[in-house]
Amino acid sequence: MPQKKAKSNNTDTFEQKLWKTADKLRKNIDAAEYKHIVLGLIFLKYISDAFEELHQKLVKGEGIYEGADPEDKDEYVAENVFFVPTEARWSYIQGQAKQPTIGKIVDDAMELIERENSKRLKGILPKVYGQQKLDQASLGGLIDLIGLITLGDAEAQAQDVLGRVYEYFLGQFALAEGKKGGQFYTPESIVRLLVEMLEPYSGRVFDPCCGSGGMFVQSEKFISAHQGRLDDISIYGQESNETTYKLCRMNLAIRGIDGSNIKWNPEGSFLNDAHKDLKADFVIANPPFNDSDWSGDLLQNDGRWQYGKPPAGNANFAWVQHFLYHLAPTGSAGFVLSNGSLSSNTSGEGDIRKTLVEADLVDCIVMLPTQLFYNTGIPACLWFMSRSKNGTKNRSRKGEVLFIDASELGYMVNRKNRAFTDEDIAKIADTYHQWKQQGGKYQDVKGFCKSATLADIEKHNFVLTPGRYVGIPDEEDDGIAFEEKMEILTKELAMQMREGLALDEEIKKQLAKVGFTVEVEV
């Protein structure tokens, strides 16, 4: 691969080339394991680059750095840069890349970095490089490959090179892992849409099934894009898969996001809520679809079930009520659920949905197109719930619910997967914002959006499928008169019938050559 730095304008091609080369070096390692190997090295390269840039300034000792000690850890802590000991620096590791013990060298480096930055990184970094099944020559090749890119200096950070590479790799690993990939990664289209609709400018942001932290990263991006202050939000999360939790902490650390309120325990949010007293301004989540293994039988009388007891065989409405339990008095929630949540009447789910609607907590429902997810073909939707529909933040929307049918939007990225364009995301989010705003320019659009009353919803037996409310779009008049259109169509039909007859004759002729005849009874 040519020595192409990430400063090239053609970053997409760069990311794809980097992935393809890294994937070739994977050999017989399972994608689920390999992601920790690759992403750990990318993290190591990033913090080493950032360290080296400040280290050089301290060595020069000019201006504010005059008299500074380049090996004093406090100098790095003061500038929010991870301190990297000599034997963990990328230059040292890359110099050892051809050694048969390179795996142990990397593991030792990870240990050293954790020890020197224990407050932020203790127990987070992968130490899997010395394992016997990992080909050490391929590992050395991977180190040389990642060594070609500059990730952590000021210019690369300004371009978010690392963020884009890390996110691209997470997505590719999710694709490679198939169904398991959904445990740690929500496709960017969905995360962006949720964040753009919720607009988490300030306050506490909570994701109780946070995966690799995509919701938090996108929230920070949203604030930066709208010239907000990153200090205005604080993030809280929980994850039950330990390796995914570590991915999340690394994902946040490389972006300078405080991950100290991201908690892990094996029991998960239902059995061992790590943020029992939290009341969040925003809840953003993509919980597991239709989860039957959520220990519901142990939680039948839990205090969170204010709107009805969720069935032990499906966690959908347990998640909904968990989100509401953690929502502040003026908070809003946006989350992904399977389409079944909109219409199911199984095991009391219809009664819970009815209670939520009558409590005026449902703000907006968005029907998503198929094939947005890497891990499931189950059709999905977005729910938006609000405790502030009374006009404290926007116009009063009491007794109203917005339905959006986005099932026809998006484009095919490849044969299996769909994504939203920027215009698709803007169209959906702007529709929601215009509907919420005082003096907004919202209008119902047949086939796309409809502002319904609670009375309308009651007529549909509290089924919340958007198609029931938005209707079918009117066919556009193409301006061609009916008679003219029929003349064109009948001519086309006659031509097709002639072609059909000719084809029939050709088939008979070919069959006759091999001794068969076709008798057609009229």
Side-chain angles (χ1 to χ4, degrees), residues 277-483:
D277 300 322
L278 174 68
K279 296 299 177 187
D281 300 288
F282 300 95
V283 174
I284 315 179
N286 174 23
F289 287 4
N290 305 327
D291 187 8
S292 60
D293 186 23
W294 67 282
S295 304
D297 52 331
L298 303 177
L299 297 163
Q300 289 297 293
N301 300 309
D302 194 276
R304 286 168 287 186
W305 317 147
Q306 297 293 305
Y307 304 95
K309 195 181 292 183
N314 192 315
N316 286 348
F317 284 98
W319 280 116
V320 173
Q321 294 185 80
H322 183 73
F323 302 150
L324 287 169
Y325 175 80
H326 280 291
L327 212 54
T330 59
S332 300
F335 48 89
V336 191
L337 284 180
S338 70
N339 280 359
S341 64
L342 302 174
S343 58
S344 169
N345 288 311
T346 306
S347 305
E349 288 183 324
D351 294 329
I352 300 173
R353 189 172 56 250
K354 177 185 175 185
T355 307
L356 293 169
V357 171
E358 289 178 334
D360 212 7
L361 290 163
V362 182
D363 204 30
C364 177
I365 301 288
V366 180
M367 179 72 79
L368 296 173
T370 57
Q371 297 175 277
L372 281 177
F373 291 87
Y374 299 151
N375 61 316
T376 179
I378 298 172
C381 58
L382 302 183
W383 286 61
F384 292 89
M385 306 191 83
S386 176
R387 290 197 185 276
S388 59
K389 292 177 70 175
N390 58 4
T392 52
K393 289 187 176 180
N394 294 282
R395 73 173 181 87
S396 174
R397 307 181 302 286
K398 291 175 87 171
E400 298 176 39
V401 176
L402 178 64
F403 291 94
I404 297 175
D405 187 345
S407 59
E408 297 300 316
L409 299 183
Y411 69 99
M412 296 305 293
V413 180
N414 51 46
R415 289 170 62 190
K416 288 184 177 178
N417 299 107
R418 183 183 295 272
F420 284 133
T421 64
D422 291 346
E423 291 75 21
D424 292 333
I425 291 170
K427 180 180 180 179
I428 300 166
D430 289 350
T431 298
Y432 181 48
H433 298 154
Q434 289 297 329
W435 176 75
K436 286 203 305 180
Q437 285 168 12
Q438 193 75 45
K441 297 175 182 176
Y442 171 82
Q443 284 187 327
D444 288 343
V445 176
K446 227 176 170 190
F448 178 65
C449 60
K450 168 73 176 177
S451 181
T453 65
L454 297 193
D456 294 331
I457 296 170
E458 187 175 3
K459 284 176 192 170
H460 287 282
N461 295 317
F462 298 93
V463 169
L464 300 180
T465 308
R468 290 199 176 205
Y469 301 91
V470 304
I472 300 167
D474 292 326
E475 276 194 34
E476 288 184 27
D477 186 1
D478 56 13
I480 303 171
F482 175 75
E483 292 78 7

Side-chain angles (χ1 to χ4, degrees), residues 139-207:
L139 175 60
L142 187 60
I143 289 167
D144 286 338
L145 171 68
I146 293 169
L148 298 174
I149 53 176
T150 301
L151 291 172
D153 68 7
E155 189 177 340
Q157 286 188 47
Q159 295 175 2
D160 193 25
V161 171
L162 172 70
R164 294 204 306 272
V165 169
Y166 199 91
E167 198 165 273
Y168 184 79
F169 272 45
L170 274 174
Q172 292 302 307
F173 279 122
L175 272 172
E177 288 188 48
K179 287 191 175 181
K180 289 181 182 175
Q183 294 172 4
F184 65 86
Y185 185 77
T186 302
E188 188 188 8
S189 276
I190 295 163
V191 179
R192 281 186 59 204
L193 180 57
L194 279 166
V195 171
E196 288 289 335
M197 290 181 76
L198 275 182
E199 299 184 298
Y201 283 110
S202 62
R204 297 171 297 274
V205 178
F206 179 45
D207 182 350

Side-chain angles (χ1 to χ4, degrees), residues 238-281:
Q238 182 165 349
E239 175 55 46
S240 60
N241 182 299
E242 187 178 13
T243 53
T244 302
Y245 160 75
K246 291 178 179 180
L247 273 184
C248 177
R249 290 295 302 271
M250 283 196 292
N251 196 12
L252 298 178
I254 60 179
R255 298 165 191 278
I257 300 173
D258 177 16
S260 58
N261 286 317
I262 310 300
K263 305 298 182 184
W264 166 78
N265 63 55
E267 299 93 344
S269 290
F270 290 132
L271 286 175
N272 189 358
D273 188 348
H275 300 282
K276 285 187 177 69
D277 300 322
L278 174 68
K279 296 299 177 187
D281 300 288

Side-chain angles (χ1 to χ4, degrees), residues 78-112:
E79 300 213 17
N80 202 28
V81 171
F82 291 106
F83 181 77
V84 184
T86 305
E87 292 186 354
R89 292 169 196 172
W90 194 264
S91 53
Y92 175 82
I93 289 167
Q94 193 162 8
Q96 306 292 315
K98 300 292 185 285
Q99 297 298 320
T101 56
I102 183 58
K104 184 177 185 311
I105 291 166
V106 176
D107 282 342
D108 290 347
M110 295 292 189
E111 288 277 9
L112 281 170

